[in-house]
Amino acid sequence: MNTNRILVVDDEEFNRDVCVRRLQRKGFEAISASSGDQALEKLQAQSVDLILLDYMMPGLSGLDLLRFLRQSWSAQELPIIMVTAVTDSHSIAQALDEGANDYITKPIDFSVAMARIRSQLARKRAEAALRKSEERYALAAKGANDGLWDWDLVSNEIYYSPRWREMIGLSEDISHDPAEWTSRVHQTDVDDLKAALLKHIEGLDSTLQVEYRIRHRNGSYRWVSTRALAVRNDAGKAIRMVGSQSDVTDRITTDPLTGLANRLLFDARLEESLHQYREGSRYSFAVLYLDVDRFKLINDSLGHAAGDSLLREVATRLRNSVRDMEISSRPDSDIVARLGGDEFAILLLGIADRAQAENACERLATAIRPAIQLPDNDIYCSVSIGVVLASQTYNAISEMLRDADTAMYAAKAVGGGHWAVFEPAMQNRVRMRLQTETDLRHALDRRELRVFYQPRVMLSTGEIRGFEALVRWNHPARGLIMPGEFISIAEETGLIVEIGAWILKEACRQMKEWHGQYARHPQLDIAVNLSVRQCREPDLVAQIKATLDETGLPPECLHLELTESLLLDDIASARKLLQDLKALGVGLKIDDFGTGYSSLRYLCDLPFDTLKIDRSFTIQLGAGEDTAEDSVIRTIIAMAQNMSMGVIAEGVETEEHVKRLLAIGCHFGQGFFFSKPVSAADTEQLLAGHASWLPRSSALIECR
Amino acid sequence: MAHVLLVEDNELNRDMLSRRLKRCGWVVSSAEDGWRAVCMAEQERPDVILMDLSLPVLSGWDATRKIRQMPEINDIPIIALSAHAMLDDRTSALAAGCDDFETKPIDFDRLVTKMNALRLERFRDEH
């Protein structure tokens, strides 16, 4: 901070000298003048922060100089402390009357003088800071087309500037009534505006910036932003408020990436359309929700820049496609918006029935279909579309949007590139799903989840070598629920992370317990599934390590099963994760092999030790003769052996399967032929009974 | 008749200057703070603005900047009036968009000469 400059005005040289020296020692920059005239000269030459002014001076007296200075400088701008004789209370009163900020008496008690100087300087700084405050700056800095207003809070009259009036299409003068303003503000926003004004007037908020819609003379609404500043009297009461209003419609209603309308504008237009429709206007309309299929995958694999280019191109195609439809009699009122991410919405006026809506969807889907050229790739993409038609049953846009969303999910469920028009039955499915989601959130706390175990059997001997841990949900009302009905929900909501951690721990704990009860050689192992979502958790490896440490299960007895979809996401981080897991000493199995897209090339690179052949291959194994499936499995097995990987066949359901698998060199299997997944108690029965599924036919023995 | 907007928060100074200006034939409106000055400039479109620098609500610098941003009135000549005789006040006033600068106490004749010169200049620019 700059040094404060103090001017000492005194006709006596000794006093001046002492004062200047002492001020300098205190760190001030002190200058002095021996007369009023000399003081004025110094003031012309340089800026001064405070004056110590001797009352009694020959020539231009201290009081005269004070009067003169106060014509040009206010008490806030230039604090003046008068130095008077102690007895002269009349002079003191007069000096304060004429605008002196404070006084000190002679002989000067320097500590008192310092205190008063510091307090005056502090006040000056505070006021200077206030003058430069953000609100003032903002008021001054606003754009060229601001409408100005000036509100006299005492008479409650507002001056509206010509530009302010023009902004809402009023060319003629309007009254000074505040209602000229507030009555034009959108009913949804008016309370917020009033509250903001009141808060600022009462000093609860030091700044005021508020955005709201105001009705233009032509009936449309403009988005405006208002900044204001209350002017207060000495008691701190606001007596006046001034402010500016600028039109921010374009900024606030446009999606910056695509230039389409954003959600705000879409909602406003939809609100307007629904309102008119309910009032009996002739326009029927449809709302379309669109979502780019597999956008996340594209974005992750090609990068955000490519993702953004793609969205821009999709936006352009949608806009052109809607423009070319010429369905509605007011084509300008159709609106294409980007709601965020890869979600778009279209408001189509003039769509009266399902057939017209489907026709529109078809045209949109066709527009999206041709390859999109990005700098490095050509991309083919598709959109899923959910449609809802306006109906008198809709009271609010939120209801329409909810149904459009439901329809879009129904379309997505069919697969990419489809569309669906909302029907109430969809709602039931969604409601059911939501209920499941809610219940699932409580399932862990209420201990409703169970781990079931399915044995992995050595095909040649029928011995149990290990188990796969599979989750079941013992729902209080619906009974035992299979994972197919809730795991995808757990994945989408992220609950899978918590559930997965619990299964892992429970399975490890249980297996450790069984090791104590049923000694085997080699020891039984336990396979636990890891979902893609779990694999994205940064502390997964640490968590597994902690579980092993806590339960005491040897790492080689834990096998983690991962699906190929993990590899689809991001091969580099998948490889890193697998290596880290491998380093723990656990086994790694690739699950559902053959159902995904992963090439064998990927597998060679990755530290999997076992491959599980998907059930869909096993159940098609022919009876005795070589079929196409046999050769697929044979190829898989040969490949696995080349890479020193073990092979397990899932879905072993018949004795025939066992024979065929043994014949083509697969040594391990699991499936209903041996046992379905069973509870821990039933598993103990299996183990205690030394259950084995010894081959019964001689043919099988030959195969060994 | 030439119209001047006098912006000055000190009532005494405002009265004195406004009386003298009226005596030489100017139509004078006055504003006592920076915000009102901007509002009045937009509403009344004066030929010249005399702008004190230390003003309440908006300072003279800020009011000048604001006027300079507003397309309809950004060409109105503004003369800054200040008791601050320091060089940096002069510089900052010109930087904010003032056309000229006068120090208080006012040399009235010189001020009027400057006002007329600026009016003339603007007239020439427009024609």
Short mmCIF file of all heavy atoms in Angstrom, two decimals, chain A residues 288-332:
data_model
loop_
_atom_site.label_atom_id
_atom_site.label_comp_id
_atom_site.label_asym_id
_atom_site.label_seq_id
_atom_site.Cartn_x
_atom_site.Cartn_y
_atom_site.Cartn_z
N LEU A 288 -40.44 -34.14 -29.15
CA LEU A 288 -39.54 -35.25 -29.45
C LEU A 288 -38.28 -35.11 -28.61
O LEU A 288 -37.68 -34.04 -28.58
CB LEU A 288 -39.14 -35.24 -30.94
CG LEU A 288 -40.15 -35.73 -31.97
CD1 LEU A 288 -41.35 -34.80 -32.06
CD2 LEU A 288 -39.48 -35.85 -33.33
N TYR A 289 -37.94 -36.17 -27.93
CA TYR A 289 -36.68 -36.23 -27.20
C TYR A 289 -35.74 -37.09 -28.02
O TYR A 289 -36.12 -38.20 -28.42
CB TYR A 289 -36.89 -36.92 -25.85
CG TYR A 289 -36.85 -36.00 -24.65
CD1 TYR A 289 -37.01 -34.63 -24.77
CD2 TYR A 289 -36.65 -36.53 -23.38
CE1 TYR A 289 -36.97 -33.82 -23.67
CE2 TYR A 289 -36.62 -35.71 -22.27
CZ TYR A 289 -36.78 -34.36 -22.42
OH TYR A 289 -36.75 -33.57 -21.31
N LEU A 290 -34.53 -36.62 -28.27
CA LEU A 290 -33.57 -37.42 -29.04
C LEU A 290 -32.28 -37.58 -28.27
O LEU A 290 -31.87 -36.67 -27.55
CB LEU A 290 -33.24 -36.72 -30.37
CG LEU A 290 -34.35 -36.48 -31.36
CD1 LEU A 290 -34.97 -35.13 -31.10
CD2 LEU A 290 -33.80 -36.56 -32.77
N ASP A 291 -31.67 -38.71 -28.49
CA ASP A 291 -30.45 -39.03 -27.77
C ASP A 291 -29.55 -39.76 -28.77
O ASP A 291 -30.01 -40.65 -29.47
CB ASP A 291 -30.87 -39.92 -26.59
CG ASP A 291 -29.72 -40.37 -25.75
OD1 ASP A 291 -28.79 -41.01 -26.29
OD2 ASP A 291 -29.77 -40.11 -24.55
N VAL A 292 -28.30 -39.32 -28.88
CA VAL A 292 -27.39 -39.94 -29.83
C VAL A 292 -26.92 -41.29 -29.26
O VAL A 292 -26.38 -41.34 -28.17
CB VAL A 292 -26.17 -39.04 -30.10
CG1 VAL A 292 -25.22 -39.71 -31.09
CG2 VAL A 292 -26.62 -37.69 -30.64
N ASP A 293 -27.17 -42.36 -30.01
CA ASP A 293 -26.82 -43.68 -29.52
C ASP A 293 -25.31 -43.81 -29.37
O ASP A 293 -24.56 -43.36 -30.23
CB ASP A 293 -27.34 -44.76 -30.49
CG ASP A 293 -28.86 -44.72 -30.58
OD1 ASP A 293 -29.50 -44.50 -29.54
OD2 ASP A 293 -29.39 -44.87 -31.70
N ARG A 294 -24.90 -44.43 -28.32
CA ARG A 294 -23.49 -44.74 -28.05
C ARG A 294 -22.60 -43.50 -28.09
O ARG A 294 -21.44 -43.57 -28.44
CB ARG A 294 -22.96 -45.78 -29.04
CG ARG A 294 -23.72 -47.10 -28.96
CD ARG A 294 -23.03 -48.20 -29.73
NE ARG A 294 -22.51 -47.71 -31.01
CZ ARG A 294 -21.32 -48.01 -31.49
NH1 ARG A 294 -20.52 -48.77 -30.80
NH2 ARG A 294 -20.93 -47.53 -32.64
N PHE A 295 -23.18 -42.33 -27.76
CA PHE A 295 -22.38 -41.11 -27.84
C PHE A 295 -21.18 -41.15 -26.91
O PHE A 295 -20.09 -40.71 -27.24
CB PHE A 295 -23.22 -39.87 -27.55
CG PHE A 295 -22.42 -38.61 -27.59
CD1 PHE A 295 -21.99 -38.08 -28.80
CD2 PHE A 295 -22.01 -37.96 -26.42
CE1 PHE A 295 -21.20 -36.95 -28.85
CE2 PHE A 295 -21.22 -36.83 -26.47
CZ PHE A 295 -20.83 -36.33 -27.69
N LYS A 296 -21.41 -41.70 -25.73
CA LYS A 296 -20.34 -41.71 -24.74
C LYS A 296 -19.13 -42.48 -25.26
O LYS A 296 -17.98 -42.06 -25.09
CB LYS A 296 -20.85 -42.35 -23.45
CG LYS A 296 -19.98 -42.04 -22.27
CD LYS A 296 -20.36 -42.83 -21.06
CE LYS A 296 -19.23 -42.87 -20.06
NZ LYS A 296 -17.91 -43.12 -20.61
N LEU A 297 -19.43 -43.59 -25.93
CA LEU A 297 -18.37 -44.41 -26.48
C LEU A 297 -17.58 -43.62 -27.53
O LEU A 297 -16.34 -43.62 -27.54
CB LEU A 297 -18.99 -45.65 -27.11
CG LEU A 297 -18.04 -46.79 -27.43
CD1 LEU A 297 -17.48 -47.36 -26.15
CD2 LEU A 297 -18.77 -47.87 -28.22
N ILE A 298 -18.30 -42.91 -28.39
CA ILE A 298 -17.67 -42.11 -29.44
C ILE A 298 -16.81 -41.02 -28.81
O ILE A 298 -15.66 -40.80 -29.17
CB ILE A 298 -18.75 -41.48 -30.36
CG1 ILE A 298 -19.52 -42.58 -31.09
CG2 ILE A 298 -18.12 -40.50 -31.34
CD1 ILE A 298 -20.78 -42.10 -31.77
N ASN A 299 -17.40 -40.37 -27.82
CA ASN A 299 -16.71 -39.26 -27.16
C ASN A 299 -15.43 -39.74 -26.46
O ASN A 299 -14.39 -39.11 -26.55
CB ASN A 299 -17.67 -38.64 -26.14
CG ASN A 299 -17.40 -37.18 -25.92
OD1 ASN A 299 -17.05 -36.47 -26.87
ND2 ASN A 299 -17.53 -36.73 -24.70
N ASP A 300 -15.55 -40.89 -25.79
CA ASP A 300 -14.40 -41.40 -25.05
C ASP A 300 -13.31 -41.91 -25.98
O ASP A 300 -12.13 -41.75 -25.70
CB ASP A 300 -14.83 -42.53 -24.10
CG ASP A 300 -15.61 -42.00 -22.91
OD1 ASP A 300 -15.69 -40.75 -22.78
OD2 ASP A 300 -16.14 -42.78 -22.13
N SER A 301 -13.72 -42.53 -27.07
CA SER A 301 -12.68 -43.12 -27.91
C SER A 301 -12.07 -42.12 -28.88
O SER A 301 -10.89 -42.21 -29.19
CB SER A 301 -13.23 -44.35 -28.65
OG SER A 301 -14.40 -44.01 -29.34
N LEU A 302 -12.86 -41.15 -29.35
CA LEU A 302 -12.31 -40.20 -30.33
C LEU A 302 -11.94 -38.85 -29.72
O LEU A 302 -11.35 -38.02 -30.38
CB LEU A 302 -13.31 -39.99 -31.48
CG LEU A 302 -13.69 -41.24 -32.27
CD1 LEU A 302 -14.68 -40.89 -33.36
CD2 LEU A 302 -12.45 -41.89 -32.87
N GLY A 303 -12.33 -38.64 -28.51
CA GLY A 303 -11.98 -37.39 -27.86
C GLY A 303 -13.12 -36.39 -27.88
O GLY A 303 -14.05 -36.50 -28.70
N HIS A 304 -13.03 -35.41 -26.99
CA HIS A 304 -14.12 -34.44 -26.84
C HIS A 304 -14.27 -33.55 -28.06
O HIS A 304 -15.37 -33.15 -28.41
CB HIS A 304 -13.91 -33.60 -25.59
CG HIS A 304 -14.09 -34.38 -24.34
ND1 HIS A 304 -15.33 -34.79 -23.92
CD2 HIS A 304 -13.21 -34.88 -23.46
CE1 HIS A 304 -15.19 -35.49 -22.81
NE2 HIS A 304 -13.91 -35.57 -22.50
N ALA A 305 -13.16 -33.24 -28.71
CA ALA A 305 -13.24 -32.35 -29.86
C ALA A 305 -14.08 -33.02 -30.95
O ALA A 305 -14.97 -32.38 -31.55
CB ALA A 305 -11.85 -32.02 -30.38
N ALA A 306 -13.82 -34.31 -31.17
CA ALA A 306 -14.60 -35.05 -32.16
C ALA A 306 -16.05 -35.15 -31.71
O ALA A 306 -16.97 -34.99 -32.52
CB ALA A 306 -14.01 -36.44 -32.34
N GLY A 307 -16.25 -35.39 -30.42
CA GLY A 307 -17.60 -35.47 -29.88
C GLY A 307 -18.37 -34.17 -30.12
O GLY A 307 -19.53 -34.19 -30.53
N ASP A 308 -17.68 -33.06 -29.91
CA ASP A 308 -18.32 -31.75 -30.11
C ASP A 308 -18.67 -31.54 -31.59
O ASP A 308 -19.75 -31.04 -31.92
CB ASP A 308 -17.41 -30.63 -29.61
CG ASP A 308 -17.37 -30.57 -28.08
OD1 ASP A 308 -18.17 -31.31 -27.45
OD2 ASP A 308 -16.57 -29.80 -27.53
N SER A 309 -17.74 -31.90 -32.47
CA SER A 309 -18.02 -31.75 -33.91
C SER A 309 -19.23 -32.59 -34.30
O SER A 309 -20.08 -32.15 -35.08
CB SER A 309 -16.84 -32.23 -34.76
OG SER A 309 -15.68 -31.58 -34.37
N LEU A 310 -19.28 -33.78 -33.74
CA LEU A 310 -20.40 -34.67 -34.03
C LEU A 310 -21.72 -34.03 -33.60
O LEU A 310 -22.69 -34.01 -34.36
CB LEU A 310 -20.19 -36.00 -33.31
CG LEU A 310 -21.32 -37.01 -33.50
CD1 LEU A 310 -21.08 -37.81 -34.76
CD2 LEU A 310 -21.42 -37.95 -32.32
N LEU A 311 -21.72 -33.48 -32.39
CA LEU A 311 -22.95 -32.86 -31.88
C LEU A 311 -23.36 -31.67 -32.76
O LEU A 311 -24.53 -31.46 -33.02
CB LEU A 311 -22.77 -32.41 -30.43
CG LEU A 311 -22.62 -33.53 -29.41
CD1 LEU A 311 -22.33 -32.95 -28.03
CD2 LEU A 311 -23.89 -34.38 -29.36
N ARG A 312 -22.37 -30.92 -33.20
CA ARG A 312 -22.68 -29.77 -34.07
C ARG A 312 -23.31 -30.23 -35.38
O ARG A 312 -24.26 -29.64 -35.86
CB ARG A 312 -21.42 -28.95 -34.34
CG ARG A 312 -21.15 -27.90 -33.25
CD ARG A 312 -20.13 -26.89 -33.70
NE ARG A 312 -18.81 -27.50 -33.82
CZ ARG A 312 -17.92 -27.51 -32.84
NH1 ARG A 312 -18.18 -26.90 -31.70
NH2 ARG A 312 -16.75 -28.09 -33.01
N GLU A 313 -22.76 -31.31 -35.93
CA GLU A 313 -23.29 -31.82 -37.19
C GLU A 313 -24.71 -32.38 -36.99
O GLU A 313 -25.60 -32.14 -37.81
CB GLU A 313 -22.35 -32.88 -37.78
CG GLU A 313 -22.82 -33.50 -39.08
CD GLU A 313 -23.02 -32.50 -40.21
OE1 GLU A 313 -22.40 -31.42 -40.17
OE2 GLU A 313 -23.81 -32.80 -41.13
N VAL A 314 -24.90 -33.11 -35.89
CA VAL A 314 -26.24 -33.63 -35.60
C VAL A 314 -27.21 -32.46 -35.47
O VAL A 314 -28.31 -32.49 -36.01
CB VAL A 314 -26.23 -34.49 -34.31
CG1 VAL A 314 -27.65 -34.81 -33.85
CG2 VAL A 314 -25.45 -35.78 -34.55
N ALA A 315 -26.77 -31.41 -34.78
CA ALA A 315 -27.62 -30.23 -34.59
C ALA A 315 -28.03 -29.64 -35.94
O ALA A 315 -29.21 -29.34 -36.17
CB ALA A 315 -26.89 -29.19 -33.75
N THR A 316 -27.06 -29.50 -36.82
CA THR A 316 -27.35 -28.91 -38.13
C THR A 316 -28.35 -29.77 -38.90
O THR A 316 -29.30 -29.26 -39.50
CB THR A 316 -26.03 -28.80 -38.94
OG1 THR A 316 -25.10 -28.09 -38.15
CG2 THR A 316 -26.26 -28.09 -40.25
N ARG A 317 -28.13 -31.07 -38.86
CA ARG A 317 -29.03 -31.95 -39.61
C ARG A 317 -30.44 -31.92 -39.04
O ARG A 317 -31.42 -31.93 -39.80
CB ARG A 317 -28.48 -33.39 -39.59
CG ARG A 317 -27.22 -33.52 -40.41
CD ARG A 317 -26.77 -34.94 -40.48
NE ARG A 317 -25.49 -35.04 -41.16
CZ ARG A 317 -24.91 -36.18 -41.47
NH1 ARG A 317 -25.51 -37.32 -41.16
NH2 ARG A 317 -23.76 -36.20 -42.08
N LEU A 318 -30.54 -31.90 -37.73
CA LEU A 318 -31.87 -31.85 -37.12
C LEU A 318 -32.58 -30.56 -37.50
O LEU A 318 -33.74 -30.55 -37.89
CB LEU A 318 -31.77 -31.95 -35.60
CG LEU A 318 -31.27 -33.28 -35.01
CD1 LEU A 318 -31.19 -33.18 -33.49
CD2 LEU A 318 -32.18 -34.43 -35.42
N ARG A 319 -31.82 -29.46 -37.43
CA ARG A 319 -32.42 -28.15 -37.74
C ARG A 319 -32.90 -28.11 -39.19
O ARG A 319 -34.02 -27.71 -39.47
CB ARG A 319 -31.39 -27.05 -37.48
CG ARG A 319 -31.96 -25.66 -37.57
CD ARG A 319 -31.01 -24.62 -36.99
NE ARG A 319 -29.61 -25.01 -37.19
CZ ARG A 319 -28.62 -24.59 -36.42
NH1 ARG A 319 -28.86 -23.79 -35.40
NH2 ARG A 319 -27.38 -24.95 -36.66
N ASN A 320 -32.04 -28.57 -40.11
CA ASN A 320 -32.42 -28.56 -41.52
C ASN A 320 -33.61 -29.47 -41.77
O ASN A 320 -34.51 -29.13 -42.54
CB ASN A 320 -31.24 -29.00 -42.40
CG ASN A 320 -30.13 -27.97 -42.37
OD1 ASN A 320 -30.35 -26.83 -41.95
ND2 ASN A 320 -28.94 -28.38 -42.78
N SER A 321 -33.58 -30.61 -41.13
CA SER A 321 -34.64 -31.58 -41.33
C SER A 321 -35.98 -31.02 -40.86
O SER A 321 -36.99 -31.14 -41.55
CB SER A 321 -34.27 -32.85 -40.59
OG SER A 321 -35.28 -33.80 -40.72
N VAL A 322 -35.97 -30.37 -39.71
CA VAL A 322 -37.21 -29.79 -39.18
C VAL A 322 -37.68 -28.65 -40.08
O VAL A 322 -38.87 -28.53 -40.39
CB VAL A 322 -37.01 -29.28 -37.73
CG1 VAL A 322 -38.17 -28.40 -37.30
CG2 VAL A 322 -36.84 -30.46 -36.78
N ARG A 323 -36.72 -27.86 -40.56
CA ARG A 323 -37.09 -26.73 -41.42
C ARG A 323 -37.76 -27.23 -42.71
O ARG A 323 -38.70 -26.65 -43.20
CB ARG A 323 -35.83 -25.92 -41.77
CG ARG A 323 -36.11 -24.56 -42.34
CD ARG A 323 -34.84 -23.97 -42.93
NE ARG A 323 -34.20 -24.93 -43.82
CZ ARG A 323 -32.88 -25.03 -43.97
NH1 ARG A 323 -32.06 -24.27 -43.28
NH2 ARG A 323 -32.37 -25.92 -44.81
N ASP A 324 -37.24 -28.35 -43.24
CA ASP A 324 -37.77 -28.86 -44.49
C ASP A 324 -39.10 -29.60 -44.35
O ASP A 324 -39.72 -29.95 -45.34
CB ASP A 324 -36.74 -29.82 -45.13
CG ASP A 324 -35.48 -29.07 -45.52
OD1 ASP A 324 -35.53 -27.82 -45.58
OD2 ASP A 324 -34.45 -29.74 -45.74
N MET A 325 -39.50 -29.82 -43.12
CA MET A 325 -40.74 -30.60 -42.95
C MET A 325 -41.98 -29.82 -43.34
O MET A 325 -42.91 -30.35 -43.91
CB MET A 325 -40.88 -31.06 -41.50
CG MET A 325 -40.03 -32.27 -41.18
SD MET A 325 -40.30 -32.75 -39.48
CE MET A 325 -38.84 -33.73 -39.20
N GLU A 326 -41.97 -28.54 -43.04
CA GLU A 326 -43.10 -27.66 -43.39
C GLU A 326 -44.43 -28.26 -42.96
O GLU A 326 -45.39 -28.30 -43.73
CB GLU A 326 -43.13 -27.40 -44.91
CG GLU A 326 -41.94 -26.56 -45.35
CD GLU A 326 -41.84 -26.48 -46.87
OE1 GLU A 326 -42.66 -27.12 -47.55
OE2 GLU A 326 -40.95 -25.78 -47.35
N ILE A 327 -44.46 -28.74 -41.76
CA ILE A 327 -45.73 -29.30 -41.28
C ILE A 327 -46.61 -28.19 -40.75
O ILE A 327 -47.77 -28.07 -41.09
CB ILE A 327 -45.50 -30.28 -40.10
CG1 ILE A 327 -44.45 -31.31 -40.49
CG2 ILE A 327 -46.80 -30.93 -39.70
CD1 ILE A 327 -43.91 -32.04 -39.30
N SER A 328 -45.99 -27.35 -39.94
CA SER A 328 -46.82 -26.39 -39.22
C SER A 328 -47.02 -25.14 -40.05
O SER A 328 -46.26 -24.83 -40.96
CB SER A 328 -46.15 -26.02 -37.91
OG SER A 328 -45.00 -25.27 -38.17
N SER A 329 -48.07 -24.43 -39.73
CA SER A 329 -48.35 -23.18 -40.43
C SER A 329 -47.49 -22.06 -39.87
O SER A 329 -47.44 -20.97 -40.41
CB SER A 329 -49.83 -22.85 -40.28
OG SER A 329 -50.20 -23.02 -38.93
N ARG A 330 -46.83 -22.32 -38.74
CA ARG A 330 -45.93 -21.31 -38.18
C ARG A 330 -44.55 -21.92 -38.03
O ARG A 330 -44.10 -22.20 -36.92
CB ARG A 330 -46.42 -20.87 -36.79
CG ARG A 330 -47.70 -20.09 -36.79
CD ARG A 330 -47.88 -19.41 -35.46
NE ARG A 330 -47.78 -20.37 -34.35
CZ ARG A 330 -47.76 -20.01 -33.07
NH1 ARG A 330 -47.79 -18.74 -32.74
NH2 ARG A 330 -47.68 -20.92 -32.13
N PRO A 331 -43.86 -22.16 -39.14
CA PRO A 331 -42.60 -22.91 -39.05
C PRO A 331 -41.58 -22.25 -38.12
O PRO A 331 -40.74 -22.93 -37.54
CB PRO A 331 -42.10 -22.96 -40.49
CG PRO A 331 -42.89 -21.95 -41.24
CD PRO A 331 -44.16 -21.73 -40.52
N ASP A 332 -41.67 -20.94 -37.96
CA ASP A 332 -40.71 -20.27 -37.08
C ASP A 332 -40.87 -20.70 -35.63
O ASP A 332 -39.97 -20.52 -34.82
CB ASP A 332 -40.91 -18.74 -37.13
CG ASP A 332 -40.46 -18.21 -38.47
OD1 ASP A 332 -39.80 -18.97 -39.21
OD2 ASP A 332 -40.78 -17.05 -38.77
#
